[in-house]
Amino acid sequence: MSNTNVEPSLPRYMTEQEVSALTGFSLAKLRSDRFYQVGIPYRKVGRLVRYLYQEVIDYMESGKIETFN
């Protein structure tokens, strides 16, 4: 048996600052979206707000518009 350390694939959670940098959305927009319960899904852990990386990507991809030449 091999003695290799293989990290399990853990979900990556992001802060609102990281999501803002990735998406270009302002912190005010992210906060407004949470208040109105729209936009990117998020989680609350106590007072902390966290976004799942894959859900941020999925949300951005959902607005994809195909163009044809």
Side-chain angles (χ1 to χ4, degrees), residues 48-66:
L48 300 175
V49 174
R50 294 295 181 261
Y51 294 86
L52 186 60
Y53 175 80
Q54 189 57 53
E55 290 178 347
V56 174
I57 298 303
D58 292 345
Y59 179 83
M60 296 300 288
E61 285 295 316
S62 72
K64 180 178 167 183
I65 298 171
E66 297 283 338

Side-chain angles (χ1 to χ4, degrees), residues 2-55:
S2 171
N3 189 13
T4 59
N5 284 339
V6 177
E7 289 278 328
S9 180
L10 299 174
R12 176 170 180 237
Y13 288 95
M14 304 172 68
T15 65
E16 64 180 351
Q17 291 82 6
E18 292 172 319
V19 172
S20 176
L22 179 66
T23 62
F25 295 160
S26 68
L27 292 176
K29 177 185 175 14
L30 292 172
R31 292 170 183 165
S32 176
D33 284 355
R34 289 196 308 268
F35 180 81
Y36 290 108
Q37 299 181 349
V38 297
I40 304 170
Y42 65 95
R43 278 114 175 119
K44 294 275 303 211
V45 181
R47 294 176 61 182
L48 300 175
V49 174
R50 294 295 181 261
Y51 294 86
L52 186 60
Y53 175 80
Q54 189 57 53
E55 290 178 347

